[in-house]
Amino acid sequence: MIMSLACVAVYALLVGVASFIEVPVGNGLSAFQLNALIRVGSLAAAAGALFAVHVLALPTGAPALAGIGIGLITGVGSIFYCFALKYMPVPMVVTFSNLYLAITILLGILVLGEPITALKVVGLLGTLAGVLLLGYAPTRYGVHGDPSADNNALPARAVVIMGTYIVIVGVGAFLEKPALKSLDATQLNGLMAIAMTAVAGIALAARGPRLPMTKHTLAGVGVGAMIGVASVFYFLGLRGLPVSVAAASSNVYMVIPVILSTVVLHQPLTRARGGAMALTLLGVTILALSAG
């Protein structure tokens, strides 16, 4: 249990640093461009991890289809995230996107029969509340929205897009747990990376514009590589933890960009932001205790 929590902590640290770097990297890039670059970097890291563990032996049959399928689901979810940026402010999209945790946690309880205790409920509510409040801090997808955004779009369209993202990603995050019964962490990560990169490439080709050959392009791939390595650690942690605990705890990564923005960029640490950080960390600590 301790090793599993440690793996999730490494994931949070790596993704948190990547999220901080992503903000300047995403400057001048569209959401679809940045998404594609991150997926390419993640695929490269996933391929390296898979080769290091299994050399050229790849999973086949139903387990391979499951990994690819989950990757397609999550990849499509990322595209809905990109579309949401066209109709909603970035902080609002980031905040609402974290509601996928509610879907993942609910499925873990209903389908996998994960136990419910008072301690676990308090931890989940505290963590969810903390990450929602931290949505207004620097976080993943450091783009500034679509400059051609239609400000007159019907609010219902934005709600539908955001709601679809929440459901799709919530289901995808849940499915990772049962998939790890037949796949190890590097296999699941590699298969998902293949599918997610394919979806991101198709979306970029359809939406454009073409990727510029600049230092931001290489930096975007680097950010993706960090996330790809982090994902292996998350799956290692997920194997030994309930999906509700792993998914909620992994979002402590949102604390890292806030800390870095305060230390490196000298941004003021407001009471609201500090309170959200404290609430998130407290919630994750309670979750760790509830997991045994």
mmCIF file of all heavy atoms in Angstrom, residues 200-236:
data_model
loop_
_atom_site.group_PDB
_atom_site.id
_atom_site.type_symbol
_atom_site.label_atom_id
_atom_site.label_comp_id
_atom_site.label_asym_id
_atom_site.label_seq_id
_atom_site.Cartn_x
_atom_site.Cartn_y
_atom_site.Cartn_z
ATOM 1 N N ALA A 200 -5.372 12.247 -31.328
ATOM 2 C CA ALA A 200 -4.880 13.627 -31.337
ATOM 3 C C ALA A 200 -4.401 14.032 -32.724
ATOM 4 O O ALA A 200 -4.629 15.172 -33.165
ATOM 5 C CB ALA A 200 -3.753 13.784 -30.326
ATOM 6 N N GLY A 201 -3.736 13.110 -33.432
ATOM 7 C CA GLY A 201 -3.254 13.410 -34.780
ATOM 8 C C GLY A 201 -4.392 13.624 -35.760
ATOM 9 O O GLY A 201 -4.346 14.548 -36.590
ATOM 10 N N ILE A 202 -5.413 12.797 -35.663
ATOM 11 C CA ILE A 202 -6.571 12.936 -36.542
ATOM 12 C C ILE A 202 -7.282 14.265 -36.271
ATOM 13 O O ILE A 202 -7.677 14.985 -37.204
ATOM 14 C CB ILE A 202 -7.540 11.753 -36.353
ATOM 15 C CG1 ILE A 202 -6.899 10.453 -36.855
ATOM 16 C CG2 ILE A 202 -8.863 12.015 -37.077
ATOM 17 C CD1 ILE A 202 -7.695 9.213 -36.515
ATOM 18 N N ALA A 203 -7.444 14.598 -34.992
ATOM 19 C CA ALA A 203 -8.115 15.849 -34.630
ATOM 20 C C ALA A 203 -7.332 17.058 -35.130
ATOM 21 O O ALA A 203 -7.912 18.023 -35.637
ATOM 22 C CB ALA A 203 -8.284 15.920 -33.110
ATOM 23 N N LEU A 204 -6.005 17.003 -34.996
ATOM 24 C CA LEU A 204 -5.182 18.128 -35.462
ATOM 25 C C LEU A 204 -5.258 18.262 -36.981
ATOM 26 O O LEU A 204 -5.340 19.372 -37.515
ATOM 27 C CB LEU A 204 -3.737 17.930 -35.022
ATOM 28 C CG LEU A 204 -2.767 19.045 -35.436
ATOM 29 C CD1 LEU A 204 -3.183 20.378 -34.832
ATOM 30 C CD2 LEU A 204 -1.341 18.699 -35.015
ATOM 31 N N ALA A 205 -5.246 17.133 -37.679
ATOM 32 C CA ALA A 205 -5.333 17.175 -39.138
ATOM 33 C C ALA A 205 -6.674 17.755 -39.598
ATOM 34 O O ALA A 205 -6.739 18.468 -40.600
ATOM 35 C CB ALA A 205 -5.144 15.771 -39.705
ATOM 36 N N ALA A 206 -7.719 17.453 -38.831
ATOM 37 C CA ALA A 206 -9.049 17.919 -39.211
ATOM 38 C C ALA A 206 -9.266 19.382 -38.842
ATOM 39 O O ALA A 206 -9.912 20.139 -39.575
ATOM 40 C CB ALA A 206 -10.120 17.056 -38.545
ATOM 41 N N ARG A 207 -8.707 19.790 -37.702
ATOM 42 C CA ARG A 207 -8.960 21.140 -37.206
ATOM 43 C C ARG A 207 -7.864 22.142 -37.579
ATOM 44 O O ARG A 207 -8.133 23.327 -37.760
ATOM 45 C CB ARG A 207 -9.086 21.106 -35.672
ATOM 46 C CG ARG A 207 -10.304 20.334 -35.160
ATOM 47 C CD ARG A 207 -11.579 21.076 -35.391
ATOM 48 N NE ARG A 207 -11.570 22.389 -34.748
ATOM 49 C CZ ARG A 207 -12.592 23.226 -34.739
ATOM 50 N NH1 ARG A 207 -13.711 22.893 -35.363
ATOM 51 N NH2 ARG A 207 -12.511 24.404 -34.132
ATOM 52 N N GLY A 208 -6.614 21.629 -37.626
ATOM 53 C CA GLY A 208 -5.505 22.542 -37.903
ATOM 54 C C GLY A 208 -5.314 23.525 -36.759
ATOM 55 O O GLY A 208 -5.985 23.446 -35.734
ATOM 56 N N PRO A 209 -4.408 24.480 -36.907
ATOM 57 C CA PRO A 209 -3.455 24.607 -38.013
ATOM 58 C C PRO A 209 -2.280 23.660 -37.859
ATOM 59 O O PRO A 209 -2.152 22.973 -36.848
ATOM 60 C CB PRO A 209 -3.001 26.065 -37.879
ATOM 61 C CG PRO A 209 -3.087 26.324 -36.404
ATOM 62 C CD PRO A 209 -4.285 25.558 -35.925
ATOM 63 N N ARG A 210 -1.439 23.611 -38.891
ATOM 64 C CA ARG A 210 -0.279 22.743 -38.854
ATOM 65 C C ARG A 210 0.671 23.181 -37.750
ATOM 66 O O ARG A 210 0.747 24.350 -37.385
ATOM 67 C CB ARG A 210 0.442 22.755 -40.195
ATOM 68 C CG ARG A 210 -0.385 22.185 -41.347
ATOM 69 C CD ARG A 210 0.389 22.262 -42.655
ATOM 70 N NE ARG A 210 1.629 21.500 -42.588
ATOM 71 C CZ ARG A 210 2.504 21.427 -43.596
ATOM 72 N NH1 ARG A 210 2.256 22.086 -44.728
ATOM 73 N NH2 ARG A 210 3.597 20.710 -43.468
ATOM 74 N N LEU A 211 1.422 22.210 -37.254
ATOM 75 C CA LEU A 211 2.364 22.502 -36.181
ATOM 76 C C LEU A 211 3.541 23.331 -36.696
ATOM 77 O O LEU A 211 4.145 22.991 -37.709
ATOM 78 C CB LEU A 211 2.899 21.199 -35.569
ATOM 79 C CG LEU A 211 1.948 20.453 -34.634
ATOM 80 C CD1 LEU A 211 2.494 19.073 -34.327
ATOM 81 C CD2 LEU A 211 1.743 21.241 -33.350
ATOM 82 N N PRO A 212 3.888 24.393 -35.995
ATOM 83 C CA PRO A 212 5.072 25.169 -36.381
ATOM 84 C C PRO A 212 6.332 24.467 -35.888
ATOM 85 O O PRO A 212 6.311 23.761 -34.878
ATOM 86 C CB PRO A 212 4.864 26.489 -35.638
ATOM 87 C CG PRO A 212 4.091 26.106 -34.407
ATOM 88 C CD PRO A 212 3.184 24.982 -34.847
ATOM 89 N N MET A 213 7.422 24.639 -36.576
ATOM 90 C CA MET A 213 8.697 24.054 -36.173
ATOM 91 C C MET A 213 9.465 25.082 -35.347
ATOM 92 O O MET A 213 10.306 25.824 -35.864
ATOM 93 C CB MET A 213 9.495 23.603 -37.405
ATOM 94 C CG MET A 213 8.809 22.519 -38.214
ATOM 95 S SD MET A 213 8.373 21.073 -37.192
ATOM 96 C CE MET A 213 10.013 20.520 -36.707
ATOM 97 N N THR A 214 9.147 25.163 -34.080
ATOM 98 C CA THR A 214 9.774 26.113 -33.177
ATOM 99 C C THR A 214 10.214 25.393 -31.908
ATOM 100 O O THR A 214 9.953 24.203 -31.724
ATOM 101 C CB THR A 214 8.801 27.241 -32.799
ATOM 102 O OG1 THR A 214 7.726 26.675 -32.016
ATOM 103 C CG2 THR A 214 8.212 27.899 -34.047
ATOM 104 N N LYS A 215 10.864 26.150 -31.043
ATOM 105 C CA LYS A 215 11.293 25.571 -29.766
ATOM 106 C C LYS A 215 10.098 25.170 -28.921
ATOM 107 O O LYS A 215 10.198 24.262 -28.084
ATOM 108 C CB LYS A 215 12.180 26.552 -29.004
ATOM 109 C CG LYS A 215 11.494 27.867 -28.635
ATOM 110 C CD LYS A 215 12.436 28.794 -27.904
ATOM 111 C CE LYS A 215 11.743 30.097 -27.511
ATOM 112 N NZ LYS A 215 12.662 31.008 -26.792
ATOM 113 N N HIS A 216 8.961 25.834 -29.107
ATOM 114 C CA HIS A 216 7.753 25.466 -28.380
ATOM 115 C C HIS A 216 7.285 24.070 -28.772
ATOM 116 O O HIS A 216 6.739 23.336 -27.949
ATOM 117 C CB HIS A 216 6.633 26.478 -28.648
ATOM 118 C CG HIS A 216 6.805 27.776 -27.920
ATOM 119 N ND1 HIS A 216 6.498 27.929 -26.590
ATOM 120 C CD2 HIS A 216 7.281 28.978 -28.332
ATOM 121 C CE1 HIS A 216 6.760 29.178 -26.215
ATOM 122 N NE2 HIS A 216 7.240 29.827 -27.258
ATOM 123 N N THR A 217 7.507 23.715 -30.041
ATOM 124 C CA THR A 217 7.115 22.385 -30.507
ATOM 125 C C THR A 217 7.895 21.305 -29.777
ATOM 126 O O THR A 217 7.316 20.343 -29.254
ATOM 127 C CB THR A 217 7.350 22.266 -32.019
ATOM 128 O OG1 THR A 217 6.626 23.300 -32.701
ATOM 129 C CG2 THR A 217 6.881 20.912 -32.532
ATOM 130 N N LEU A 218 9.215 21.457 -29.733
ATOM 131 C CA LEU A 218 10.046 20.482 -29.025
ATOM 132 C C LEU A 218 9.740 20.481 -27.537
ATOM 133 O O LEU A 218 9.732 19.419 -26.894
ATOM 134 C CB LEU A 218 11.522 20.805 -29.257
ATOM 135 C CG LEU A 218 12.029 20.623 -30.692
ATOM 136 C CD1 LEU A 218 13.499 21.041 -30.795
ATOM 137 C CD2 LEU A 218 11.865 19.171 -31.131
ATOM 138 N N ALA A 219 9.499 21.652 -26.971
ATOM 139 C CA ALA A 219 9.181 21.730 -25.549
ATOM 140 C C ALA A 219 7.862 21.023 -25.251
ATOM 141 O O ALA A 219 7.721 20.363 -24.217
ATOM 142 C CB ALA A 219 9.114 23.185 -25.105
ATOM 143 N N GLY A 220 6.903 21.126 -26.161
ATOM 144 C CA GLY A 220 5.630 20.436 -25.981
ATOM 145 C C GLY A 220 5.803 18.929 -25.965
ATOM 146 O O GLY A 220 5.167 18.226 -25.170
ATOM 147 N N VAL A 221 6.660 18.434 -26.836
ATOM 148 C CA VAL A 221 6.968 16.993 -26.838
ATOM 149 C C VAL A 221 7.635 16.594 -25.524
ATOM 150 O O VAL A 221 7.350 15.538 -24.965
ATOM 151 C CB VAL A 221 7.866 16.640 -28.041
ATOM 152 C CG1 VAL A 221 8.319 15.181 -27.965
ATOM 153 C CG2 VAL A 221 7.127 16.893 -29.346
ATOM 154 N N GLY A 222 8.521 17.462 -25.026
ATOM 155 C CA GLY A 222 9.178 17.187 -23.750
ATOM 156 C C GLY A 222 8.201 17.119 -22.595
ATOM 157 O O GLY A 222 8.309 16.253 -21.715
ATOM 158 N N VAL A 223 7.231 18.030 -22.586
ATOM 159 C CA VAL A 223 6.193 17.995 -21.557
ATOM 160 C C VAL A 223 5.421 16.679 -21.640
ATOM 161 O O VAL A 223 5.126 16.036 -20.627
ATOM 162 C CB VAL A 223 5.231 19.189 -21.719
ATOM 163 C CG1 VAL A 223 3.997 19.021 -20.832
ATOM 164 C CG2 VAL A 223 5.938 20.485 -21.373
ATOM 165 N N GLY A 224 5.107 16.270 -22.855
ATOM 166 C CA GLY A 224 4.400 15.008 -23.044
ATOM 167 C C GLY A 224 5.197 13.812 -22.554
ATOM 168 O O GLY A 224 4.644 12.871 -21.978
ATOM 169 N N ALA A 225 6.524 13.850 -22.764
ATOM 170 C CA ALA A 225 7.381 12.753 -22.300
ATOM 171 C C ALA A 225 7.343 12.647 -20.780
ATOM 172 O O ALA A 225 7.303 11.541 -20.219
ATOM 173 C CB ALA A 225 8.816 12.965 -22.779
ATOM 174 N N MET A 226 7.342 13.796 -20.096
ATOM 175 C CA MET A 226 7.243 13.785 -18.638
ATOM 176 C C MET A 226 5.922 13.164 -18.191
ATOM 177 O O MET A 226 5.882 12.364 -17.249
ATOM 178 C CB MET A 226 7.365 15.204 -18.085
ATOM 179 C CG MET A 226 8.733 15.817 -18.200
ATOM 180 S SD MET A 226 8.811 17.462 -17.423
ATOM 181 C CE MET A 226 8.528 17.022 -15.703
ATOM 182 N N ILE A 227 4.853 13.516 -18.875
ATOM 183 C CA ILE A 227 3.541 12.969 -18.535
ATOM 184 C C ILE A 227 3.492 11.470 -18.836
ATOM 185 O O ILE A 227 2.883 10.692 -18.098
ATOM 186 C CB ILE A 227 2.433 13.723 -19.295
ATOM 187 C CG1 ILE A 227 2.376 15.174 -18.811
ATOM 188 C CG2 ILE A 227 1.079 13.047 -19.117
ATOM 189 C CD1 ILE A 227 1.415 16.048 -19.579
ATOM 190 N N GLY A 228 4.166 11.057 -19.921
ATOM 191 C CA GLY A 228 4.205 9.642 -20.266
ATOM 192 C C GLY A 228 4.912 8.812 -19.207
ATOM 193 O O GLY A 228 4.453 7.724 -18.838
ATOM 194 N N VAL A 229 6.030 9.319 -18.702
ATOM 195 C CA VAL A 229 6.745 8.628 -17.619
ATOM 196 C C VAL A 229 5.880 8.605 -16.361
ATOM 197 O O VAL A 229 5.788 7.589 -15.662
ATOM 198 C CB VAL A 229 8.096 9.316 -17.335
ATOM 199 C CG1 VAL A 229 8.759 8.714 -16.100
ATOM 200 C CG2 VAL A 229 9.016 9.190 -18.546
ATOM 201 N N ALA A 230 5.241 9.739 -16.077
ATOM 202 C CA ALA A 230 4.390 9.823 -14.890
ATOM 203 C C ALA A 230 3.256 8.806 -14.942
ATOM 204 O O ALA A 230 2.898 8.206 -13.914
ATOM 205 C CB ALA A 230 3.821 11.235 -14.769
ATOM 206 N N SER A 231 2.707 8.576 -16.119
ATOM 207 C CA SER A 231 1.580 7.657 -16.256
ATOM 208 C C SER A 231 1.954 6.239 -15.855
ATOM 209 O O SER A 231 1.129 5.504 -15.301
ATOM 210 C CB SER A 231 1.055 7.677 -17.691
ATOM 211 O OG SER A 231 0.543 8.951 -18.027
ATOM 212 N N VAL A 232 3.187 5.842 -16.134
ATOM 213 C CA VAL A 232 3.633 4.509 -15.711
ATOM 214 C C VAL A 232 3.564 4.395 -14.191
ATOM 215 O O VAL A 232 3.092 3.388 -13.642
ATOM 216 C CB VAL A 232 5.067 4.229 -16.206
ATOM 217 C CG1 VAL A 232 5.563 2.887 -15.661
ATOM 218 C CG2 VAL A 232 5.122 4.230 -17.725
ATOM 219 N N PHE A 233 4.017 5.428 -13.506
ATOM 220 C CA PHE A 233 3.964 5.407 -12.044
ATOM 221 C C PHE A 233 2.519 5.385 -11.544
ATOM 222 O O PHE A 233 2.209 4.723 -10.546
ATOM 223 C CB PHE A 233 4.704 6.619 -11.473
ATOM 224 C CG PHE A 233 6.197 6.474 -11.495
ATOM 225 C CD1 PHE A 233 6.946 7.003 -12.528
ATOM 226 C CD2 PHE A 233 6.851 5.791 -10.477
ATOM 227 C CE1 PHE A 233 8.332 6.866 -12.554
ATOM 228 C CE2 PHE A 233 8.225 5.641 -10.489
ATOM 229 C CZ PHE A 233 8.970 6.180 -11.532
ATOM 230 N N TYR A 234 1.641 6.113 -12.235
ATOM 231 C CA TYR A 234 0.232 6.102 -11.813
ATOM 232 C C TYR A 234 -0.350 4.693 -11.923
ATOM 233 O O TYR A 234 -1.030 4.225 -11.001
ATOM 234 C CB TYR A 234 -0.590 7.072 -12.652
ATOM 235 C CG TYR A 234 -2.071 6.971 -12.336
ATOM 236 C CD1 TYR A 234 -2.570 7.481 -11.146
ATOM 237 C CD2 TYR A 234 -2.943 6.324 -13.209
ATOM 238 C CE1 TYR A 234 -3.930 7.368 -10.834
ATOM 239 C CE2 TYR A 234 -4.291 6.206 -12.909
ATOM 240 C CZ TYR A 234 -4.775 6.733 -11.723
ATOM 241 O OH TYR A 234 -6.116 6.602 -11.408
ATOM 242 N N PHE A 235 -0.083 4.024 -13.024
ATOM 243 C CA PHE A 235 -0.628 2.680 -13.203
ATOM 244 C C PHE A 235 -0.022 1.694 -12.203
ATOM 245 O O PHE A 235 -0.691 0.770 -11.756
ATOM 246 C CB PHE A 235 -0.419 2.208 -14.634
ATOM 247 C CG PHE A 235 -1.233 2.968 -15.644
ATOM 248 C CD1 PHE A 235 -0.696 3.352 -16.864
ATOM 249 C CD2 PHE A 235 -2.540 3.307 -15.372
ATOM 250 C CE1 PHE A 235 -1.448 4.053 -17.783
ATOM 251 C CE2 PHE A 235 -3.309 4.017 -16.282
ATOM 252 C CZ PHE A 235 -2.762 4.392 -17.497
ATOM 253 N N LEU A 236 1.244 1.890 -11.865
ATOM 254 C CA LEU A 236 1.851 1.057 -10.822
ATOM 255 C C LEU A 236 1.133 1.263 -9.491
ATOM 256 O O LEU A 236 0.890 0.312 -8.747
ATOM 257 C CB LEU A 236 3.338 1.397 -10.675
ATOM 258 C CG LEU A 236 4.269 0.932 -11.799
ATOM 259 C CD1 LEU A 236 5.660 1.514 -11.615
ATOM 260 C CD2 LEU A 236 4.333 -0.594 -11.854
#
